Amino acid sequence: MWGRVRDVLFENLGLKLASLLLALLLYAHVVTDQERESVVQIPIASVGLADTLTSVGELPPRVAVRVRGKWKDLIRLSLTRPFLSIDLAAAKPGKFGTSITAEDISKRAIPPELARQITVTEVLDPRSVDLTIEPRATRSLPVRARIVGTPASGYVLDRDPYVEPESVVVMGPARLVQGIDTLYTVAVDITGERERIQRQVALALPANVANLETRRCVVTIRLARAEPDSMTGRARVRQGASKRGDRER
């Protein structure tokens, strides 16, 4: 009996596999040729803004749109990675706003070879982009480390933390950049620490201000054992530790 079953299964195996493959291809063609509706997330990018200007406010990262077309064309659309460009070439200082329409998506985001096959039926969110355009400024600012926490018992800061680089060049809205005197790193926690600490940390930049140089800074913190001051009762750093720190730096 098993021999008969084996003969039925494996007789003309190549022909049977070819028939199965053909049936699968036909099924896939029928299914993907049917029309469907889908929601697509399309990235947004701004282009054309003059070098002397900058935008304030967050540009939406993507727009959600409802599209309709054959499933195979919707699959092709997802593979092309479309994006919508917001043209700021004519923007001037002040408020800038523009709406996002289904026609904008069809003409500027969907590739021409698919725009004839796919219909954008609705723009869901957002339906508009609102920004503030301001003059741009560039400035070099000093960098300071922000320290939080308390070192181990009996230890104190030997000196002010050292930051490398000591200054960075930033760019942003002139009104905002001119109002900044010092940049700070993200907080460095020294809780329970002893002696020398060296960490690579990012800058805590205000919104809409960009760092044109390094993205991260190296903060060096030196701690030393403290001794009670017999005359004042306050802790003082041992001179030996301080001199050793001078040699290390």
Side-chain angles (χ1 to χ4, degrees):
M1 178 179 177
W2 287 112
R4 184 177 181 82
V5 172
R6 186 173 61 251
D7 292 340
V8 171
L9 290 176
F10 292 100
E11 187 177 1
N12 297 322
L13 180 61
L15 181 59
K16 291 177 179 178
L17 290 176
S19 299
L20 177 60
L21 179 59
L22 181 60
L24 291 174
L25 291 174
L26 181 60
Y27 174 78
H29 173 74
V30 171
V31 170
T32 59
D33 208 45
Q34 295 176 354
E35 283 213 351
R36 295 195 176 191
E37 196 170 65
S38 177
V39 174
V40 179
Q41 301 283 342
I42 298 180
I44 299 177
S46 62
V47 297
L49 187 63
D51 292 340
T52 57
L53 301 175
T54 187
S55 61
V56 179
E58 290 192 10
L59 186 71
R62 58 188 58 85
V63 55
V65 299
R66 195 183 305 278
V67 296
R68 186 171 185 81
K70 293 181 178 180
W71 191 13
K72 60 184 179 183
D73 293 325
L74 297 180
I75 294 173
R76 289 174 60 197
L77 176 64
S78 65
L79 295 176
T80 60
R81 298 182 180 179
F83 78 95
L84 176 67
S85 61
I86 303 297
D87 190 1
L88 301 180
K92 300 182 183 302
K95 298 293 184 180
F96 173 88
T98 183
S99 60
I100 302 176
T101 66
E103 184 179 4
D104 293 332
I105 302 297
S106 296
K107 289 184 176 181
R108 292 160 36 203
I110 296 181
E113 65 273 16
L114 289 176
R116 295 186 295 270
Q117 314 297 332
I118 294 175
T119 302
V120 180
T121 59
E122 185 182 6
V123 176
L124 300 176
D125 183 63
R127 296 184 176 182
S128 63
V129 171
D130 297 291
L131 299 170
T132 299
I133 306 300
E134 293 189 12
R136 187 179 72 176
T138 301
R139 186 182 179 192
S140 178
L141 292 170
V143 180
R144 299 289 181 267
R146 181 168 174 253
I147 308 300
V148 297
T150 304
S153 178
Y155 286 83
V156 295
L157 281 173
D158 187 14
R159 65 186 65 195
D160 290 337
Y162 177 70
V163 182
E164 175 64 33
E166 297 180 273
S167 65
V168 298
V169 177
V170 297
M171 176 188 69
R175 169 184 56 85
L176 183 57
V177 170
Q178 296 302 327
I180 303 173
D181 293 324
T182 304
L183 293 175
Y184 289 89
T185 67
V186 299
V188 178
D189 191 354
I190 62 171
T191 300
E193 297 286 355
R194 295 175 172 84
E195 299 182 353
R196 184 175 182 269
I197 308 166
Q198 190 171 71
R199 294 182 186 166
Q200 191 176 66
V201 296
L203 282 173
L205 292 172
N208 298 304
V209 173
N211 182 2
L212 297 183
E213 297 180 326
T214 179
R215 291 187 176 183
R216 303 180 74 84
C217 298
V218 177
V219 176
T220 302
I221 303 168
R222 291 183 173 86
L223 304 173
R225 189 179 294 277
E227 293 179 346
D229 191 318
S230 59
M231 296 182 64
T232 64
R234 293 179 300 177
R236 62 184 177 85
V237 178
R238 292 188 306 180
Q239 292 186 3
S242 179
K243 292 179 180 179
R244 184 170 62 253
D246 290 338
R247 289 195 298 271
E248 288 176 356
R249 180 167 177 180

